[in-house]
Every structure is written in C-alpha cells, then in structure tokens.
Amino acid sequence: MKLAVFCGSSEGREPAYKHAAYAFGRLAAQRGVAIVYGGGHVGLMGAVANGALEAGGEVIGVMPKALVEREIAHQGLTHLEVVPDMHVRKQRMSELASGFVTLPGGAGTLEEIFEQWTWAQLGIHDKPCGFLNVEGYFDPLLAMIAKTTREGFMKPEYASMLVVTSDPLELFELFDDYTPPTRKWTQAAIHPASA
C-alpha cells in the first residue's frame, strides 16, 4: 500500500503538529506502508518523510522542477520524481497512491485533499480520503463540511466518506476497512426508479 500524505511545508505553531507528522511517517513504515508526498525536506512534509525513512520505510517524493531548483527537495528519499508543474505533481501522486491522508497545513494542503475527495465522490477513483485531526486542527473545517450537508449542498454519505480521527493507528485501520459510497451522478441517481 502507498498513501499520499498532504501536509504543511511549515511546522506550524504547535510542536504537536511536527511530532504527529514524524510519528505518522514512522507508523506507516512499521506497517509496511509507503509514503507518497510532495518531496520537501521542510515543515511537516520533512517530518513525515524523516519518520518513515528512519524506521526503514519507503518514501517517494513528487516535486515540480521549480521547487527542486529552490533546494527544498529532500535528499534522502527512496525516490524523488521530478515533474514539470503542480498539475502533473497532483496527477502523479494520485496515480501512485492507494489512499490520501491529510495532516495540518495551509491552502495547498486543503486544495490537494479537496480535489481527491471530489474525485472520490465522482467515482474517478475509489480510494479513501482522510484527516489526521491533530490537536483538533481540522475541527472548524469539519464544522463547515457538516454545514454543507445541513444546507443541502452535499449528501450525508459524501461527508461521512471522509475518514477523520486523531489516532494514526485508527486511521490506518479505517483505511483498511474503507468501502466507497455510490458515486455521484450515476444513472440511478439521475433517474431514480419510480415506485
């Protein structure tokens, strides 16, 4: 199994974020799960990679050429794949991964997981998408997602398809047991059978 990890290129204000990122990478390696991530040595990205590498795990970085040239690429990875741009990076990470895990981060982190979650709803892939909710970091976002359901912009099954936990071991177990919901815009959803 290979999991794509989306997280910050900064460490954040709370030391717990970096500790959780390192521990997640380490646990992944111990479970034989390879990490696919953005390829950086900085921030939570670097912590995840270091945790996995120091535990003997496989870590695959996918980084646009422009960022490699800015010298933020991790030099100790199992493999670093250099791609032309961010669009290719996201596509390649999606191809390599069998699931997507999100740790604390900013706009780029959120954009990456939201794209994969949208693709899962549409049935473009059937891979799990989840949040490691360190120190309640994602609580406001989860409240917004719940509001989209209450206000009729999202069916409950698409909100509940997200795996959310603060426990990394539980996250791995939930990913192992994941079953995707029915994809959006199937013929049955567009033309429900009349009773």
Side-chain angles (χ1 to χ4, degrees), residues 111-143:
E111 186 268 337
E112 288 171 322
I113 190 59
F114 268 71
E115 180 173 72
Q116 294 303 330
W117 179 31
T118 301
W119 288 4
Q121 290 178 52
L122 295 172
I124 294 170
H125 67 70
D126 60 1
K127 304 170 187 179
C129 297
F131 291 88
L132 186 62
N133 194 18
V134 181
E135 298 289 310
Y137 181 79
F138 291 111
D139 288 352
L141 177 64
L142 298 170

Side-chain angles (χ1 to χ4, degrees), residues 3-191:
L3 289 182
V5 179
F6 304 132
C7 59
S9 58
S10 298
E11 293 181 2
R13 294 186 187 276
E14 296 295 328
Y17 300 145
K18 185 176 180 181
H19 294 313
Y22 181 89
F24 181 84
R26 187 169 184 80
L27 182 60
Q30 291 167 347
R31 294 178 64 90
V33 175
I35 298 291
V36 177
Y37 84 121
H41 70 82
V42 294
L44 299 191
M45 294 173 67
V48 169
N50 290 336
L53 290 166
E54 290 170 20
E58 179 183 6
V59 182
I60 301 163
V62 183
M63 182 174 276
K65 186 174 185 290
L67 294 181
V68 173
E69 290 170 349
R70 293 180 198 169
E71 299 180 353
I72 64 167
H74 197 299
Q75 298 303 310
L77 303 179
T78 309
H79 177 68
L80 177 64
E81 189 168 325
V82 179
V83 295
D85 56 45
M86 293 294 284
H87 295 291
V88 177
R89 173 201 238 178
K90 292 190 299 177
Q91 180 65 40
R92 186 63 181 137
M93 289 178 71
S94 181
E95 291 167 358
L96 290 170
S98 47
F100 307 92
V101 177
T102 313
L103 278 68
T109 299
L110 296 175
E111 186 268 337
E112 288 171 322
I113 190 59
F114 268 71
E115 180 173 72
Q116 294 303 330
W117 179 31
T118 301
W119 288 4
Q121 290 178 52
L122 295 172
I124 294 170
H125 67 70
D126 60 1
K127 304 170 187 179
C129 297
F131 291 88
L132 186 62
N133 194 18
V134 181
E135 298 289 310
Y137 181 79
F138 291 111
D139 288 352
L141 177 64
L142 298 170
M144 185 65 220
I145 291 169
K147 182 170 184 175
T148 66
T149 301
R150 287 195 309 274
E151 298 297 330
F153 291 104
M154 184 185 305
K155 292 184 178 179
E157 59 264 35
Y158 299 127
S160 64
M161 73 190 289
L162 290 172
V163 175
V164 182
T165 179
S166 60
D167 181 345
L169 182 57
E170 183 182 30
L171 189 141
F172 282 108
E173 291 169 349
L174 291 170
F175 267 43
D176 287 343
D177 294 336
Y178 177 77
T179 302
T182 304
R183 68 180 59 176
K184 258 177 121 170
W185 311 123
T186 61
Q187 284 300 99
I190 297 169
H191 306 289

